[in-house]
Amino acid sequence: NAGVMQNPRHLVRRRGQEARLRCSPMKGHSHVYWYRQLPEEGLKFMVYLQKENIIDESGMPKERFSAEFPKEGPSILRIQQVVRGDSAAYFCASSTAGSQGYNEQFFGPGTRLTVL
Amino acid sequence: AQTVTQSQPEMSVQEAETVTLSCTYDTSENNYYLFWYKQPPSRQMILVIRQEAYKQQNATENRFSVNFQKAAKSFSLKISDSQLGDTAMYFCAYNRYSGGGADGLTFGKGTHLIIQP
């Protein structure tokens, strides 16, 4: 059973370009979470999605950032008009659907975004 | 809002020694979960141990154990018989109990643990 997949692993963009980060959850998982890790920092929650629904986007910057998790295909984190401050590692995690108790989040290997 | 604080940016111990990493948190919730994650140089996030707040017994996983003090909002990680492979960043994390699923985790800034040969 493959784990959480993220691609690309490394992405280089120039200021003003768009960045698209992809996340394929583990098989059987319908919940996806995106986190950002700035240098020398812990992970910061960005957004929580279920298929075709954004459940919690309280950690998303108000501008330039968007996320989706379509019925078919991977979840996409999109950053428009990137700036140098967007340079970070972006992690995706996935979990099973809700039930009583805790649904463990399994993390992907991350995408390292560098903005030149 | 919940916050997680790790006051030790870096720690270094000799191989085979025991080391304790500190974590405090702030929440108004009564039910929640606490975690320790390990991030080695590969950057992969690995769950080390989990504690449910409603359980009084401290969680244990092989060489890893926690000291959970709910009233003090303290959650420390003890690593016994430390090994070179334990060298990594360690993050303390919090997740509130949502009953039907999971919310985003709140992480501390991490402690860089170095195991010296």
Side-chain angles (χ1 to χ4, degrees):
Chain A
N1 186 12
V4 178
M5 310 283 282
Q6 288 189 251
N7 67 81
R9 294 293 307 277
H10 300 275
L11 182 62
V12 179
R13 286 288 178 265
R14 296 192 180 279
R15 281 179 296 169
Q17 290 184 322
E18 178 180 288
R20 282 185 178 238
L21 288 62
R22 295 175 190 78
C23 170
S24 297
M26 285 179 68
K27 187 176 181 180
H29 286 191
S30 58
H31 295 201
V32 165
Y33 314 79
W34 286 94
Y35 296 84
R36 177 165 66 175
Q37 185 178 30
L38 295 169
E40 310 301 324
E41 296 280 328
L43 279 69
K44 292 281 171 62
F45 167 74
M46 300 179 75
V47 62
Y48 163 30
L49 310 104
Q50 296 176 17
K51 288 280 187 181
E52 300 184 283
N53 281 308
I54 296 175
I55 305 302
D56 180 0
E57 56 182 348
S58 59
M60 285 280 269
K62 297 294 181 222
E63 298 177 349
R64 302 188 298 107
F65 286 72
S66 62
E68 63 177 8
F69 188 17
K71 187 176 180 181
E72 301 290 338
S75 175
I76 305 287
L77 179 66
R78 181 183 178 205
I79 311 172
Q80 295 178 291
Q81 299 175 325
V82 295
V83 300
R84 288 217 174 105
D86 297 332
S87 295
Y90 292 82
F91 288 89
C92 168
S94 72
S95 73
T96 55
S99 63
Q100 287 299 318
Y102 184 74
N103 299 298
E104 183 177 342
Q105 294 182 32
F106 293 82
F107 282 83
T111 293
R112 179 84 177 178
L113 173 65
T114 301
V115 179
L116 301 177
Chain B
Q2 295 83 16
T3 58
V4 176
T5 302
Q6 294 179 250
S7 58
Q8 305 153 310
E10 186 171 291
M11 295 187 71
S12 180
V13 298
Q14 296 292 124
E15 193 176 5
E17 289 184 345
T18 293
V19 60
T20 299
L21 308 183
S22 301
C23 172
T24 58
Y25 59 95
D26 188 26
T27 182
S28 58
E29 304 281 342
N30 189 47
N31 289 328
Y32 49 87
Y33 302 91
L34 295 164
F35 311 84
W36 281 97
Y37 279 87
K38 172 184 178 182
Q39 187 180 44
S42 68
R43 306 183 72 88
Q44 177 73 51
M45 294 293 287
I46 301 165
L47 178 63
V48 174
I49 200 164
R50 182 182 85 214
Q51 175 78 43
E52 289 88 350
Y54 61 86
K55 290 186 179 178
Q56 293 188 346
Q57 186 173 6
N58 289 323
T60 305
E61 288 286 343
N62 300 314
R63 299 182 296 108
F64 299 88
S65 61
V66 298
N67 183 4
F68 173 49
Q69 301 290 327
K70 190 173 184 180
K73 294 180 181 174
S74 170
F75 183 61
S76 61
L77 174 70
K78 185 172 84 171
I79 306 175
S80 303
D81 185 26
S82 57
Q83 301 174 359
L84 297 178
D86 295 334
T87 293
M89 285 292 293
Y90 285 82
F91 294 98
C92 179
Y94 167 100
N95 200 197
R96 74 181 183 97
Y97 177 76
S98 59
D103 294 332
L105 293 157
T106 301
F107 285 88
K109 289 193 172 186
T111 296
H112 184 203
L113 176 63
I114 300 169
I115 309 299
Q116 305 277 7

